[in-house]
Amino acid sequence: MEKLIITAAICGAEVTKENNPNVPYTVEEIGEEAESAYRAGASIIHLHVRYDDGTPTQDKERFRECMEEIRRRCPDVIIQPSTGGAVGMTDEERLQPVELFPEMATLDCGTLNFGGDEIFINTENTIKNFAKVMNEKGVKPEIEVFDKGMVDLAVRYHKQGYISAPMHFDFVMGVQMDATVRDLSYISRSIPEGSTWTVAGVGRHQIPMAVVGIIMGGHARVGFEDNVYISKGVLAKSNGELVEKVVRIAKEIGREIATPEEARKILRIKYKG
C-alpha cells in the first residue's frame, strides 16, 4: 500500500475564532498553523487566506504573503491554494492564487448546496476555464467532489482534454454526500484506474472517514476548515494536533506517512521550489 499523504486544511473560509480561538487569520498565524501541521506529518497544506479581521479573501497578494511565510517555515511542503474561495465570489476572484504558479490547486467539479440559501456555483464553463488556466500554468488540480455526479463530470472533461491524467480527487463527505463507508467505497471505485484520492470528512465525520480512507488505501485530509474538535466537545489546540491523531492511527494500522517528496512522486507533480 502507498504511503499515506496527509493534507491539512488549516483555516477554510467559513470557520471563525468564535468556533475555535486557534483558527488562524493573520499571516503569522497561518504560518504557525501550517508549520504545526507539517511538523506533525502533513505533506500538503490546503490553503484559504483571511484578512487580519478574519474576512476570507482570494486576493493574490494576500496569498503571496501567506505562501511565502509557509515556505519560510516549511520549505518543502506542498501548498495547495483553494480556488473555491467563499460563496458569492466571482470566478476572477477565485482564480487569483493560480497566478502564483502553485504546485496544486483545487478544482470544484460541480454546483452544490452548502446549507440554507447558500449555493456554491460552478458552471460547466467555470470548470473548463479553471482547468484550462491550471493546465497553462502547470498546476495540478485536486478535483473536489461532493457527490457522484462530480466524478462523472471530471471524467467527461478529462476525455475532452481539459483535465490531464493521472487525476487526483478529494471526496468531501458529510456536506452533500453522506459520510458512510458505503458512499466512500462506491465513489472511490468510480474514478479512473491510475487516479489517486483523498477523503475529507466534515465535522464529527473527519476522523472516522480518515480511518476508513487509510484502510482502503486512499489518503486523508484533516484540519480546522472541516472540523475544530480533537474529540467530542474538546476543541483542538492546533491543526498539528489533528494531524498527530491521524498519524497515530495510521501507524497503528501499519500505514507509513509520506513526506512531501514522496507525496510528489505519488501524485506525479514536480517540485517548484
Side-chain angles (χ1 to χ4, degrees):
M1 193 177 291
E2 286 178 333
K3 290 188 177 182
L4 176 68
I5 299 171
I6 300 176
T7 298
I10 60 175
C11 66
E14 308 295 335
V15 67
T16 69
K17 288 184 182 292
E18 292 182 359
N19 304 119
N20 184 325
N22 298 308
V23 171
Y25 291 172
T26 69
V27 173
E28 183 178 7
E29 288 173 344
I30 284 174
E32 288 172 350
E33 281 304 305
E35 185 176 12
S36 78
Y38 168 75
R39 292 192 179 281
S43 53
I44 299 175
I45 302 299
H46 172 69
L47 186 62
H48 288 256
V49 298
R50 313 286 191 95
Y51 289 125
D52 287 356
D53 65 358
T55 303
T57 178
Q58 288 294 104
D59 178 69
K60 180 174 71 173
E61 293 309 314
R62 187 66 168 187
F63 265 99
R64 189 193 307 276
E65 288 182 278
C66 291
M67 290 168 69
E68 287 176 353
E69 179 68 10
I70 292 170
R71 289 195 182 105
R72 184 180 71 81
R73 294 168 177 267
C74 324
D76 65 333
V77 78
I78 300 166
I79 302 175
Q80 180 196 86
S82 169
T83 65
V87 171
M89 289 182 176
T90 66
D91 289 3
E92 290 75 18
E93 285 180 280
R94 290 168 52 191
L95 265 175
Q96 287 184 80
V98 177
E99 296 174 18
L100 300 173
F101 297 91
E103 293 174 275
M104 299 183 76
T106 57
L107 175 62
D108 293 272
C109 274
T111 296
L112 70 144
N113 292 319
F114 258 148
D117 292 324
E118 290 194 341
I119 300 174
F120 181 39
I121 297 174
N122 291 283
T123 67
E124 181 175 9
N125 287 339
T126 292
I127 299 165
K128 287 180 176 180
N129 183 51
F130 277 36
K132 179 175 177 287
V133 172
M134 289 182 198
N135 281 333
E136 290 172 349
K137 298 186 181 299
V139 178
K140 182 171 179 93
E142 178 181 79
I143 299 161
E144 304 295 290
V145 169
F146 291 80
D147 62 38
K148 170 64 165 55
M150 295 186 189
V151 171
D152 298 337
L153 286 173
V155 172
R156 183 184 307 166
Y157 300 146
H158 163 64
K159 290 178 179 177
Q160 293 174 359
Y162 291 96
I163 302 174
S164 300
M167 290 187 281
H168 178 64
F169 295 83
D170 177 38
F171 303 134
V172 184
M173 317 293 290
V175 178
Q176 191 155 288
M177 176 168 47
D178 285 344
T180 66
V181 174
R182 176 203 64 189
D183 288 272
L184 181 57
S185 176
Y186 176 69
I187 202 160
S188 66
R189 288 186 285 110
S190 302
I191 63 178
E193 186 175 351
S195 301
T196 51
W197 59 272
T198 290
V199 60
V202 174
R204 68 183 185 276
H205 305 298
Q206 183 168 95
I207 298 301
M209 284 291 98
V211 173
V212 176
I214 292 167
I215 293 169
M216 290 175 60
H219 305 285
R221 170 174 135 171
V222 295
F224 285 159
E225 176 171 349
D226 306 318
N227 165 52
V228 295
Y229 294 95
I230 189 66
S231 58
K232 187 175 182 179
V234 180
L235 292 173
K237 297 174 183 175
S238 67
N239 282 277
E241 190 175 25
L242 292 166
V243 174
E244 286 171 359
K245 186 168 185 175
V246 172
V247 168
R248 287 196 303 271
I249 294 168
K251 288 182 175 178
E252 287 292 333
I253 294 170
R255 187 103 182 258
E256 294 184 60
I257 309 302
T259 65
E261 181 181 0
E262 291 166 334
R264 288 182 177 93
K265 289 179 181 178
I266 293 168
L267 298 173
R268 300 188 195 177
I269 58 177
K270 293 182 179 179
Y271 182 39
K272 293 188 177 180

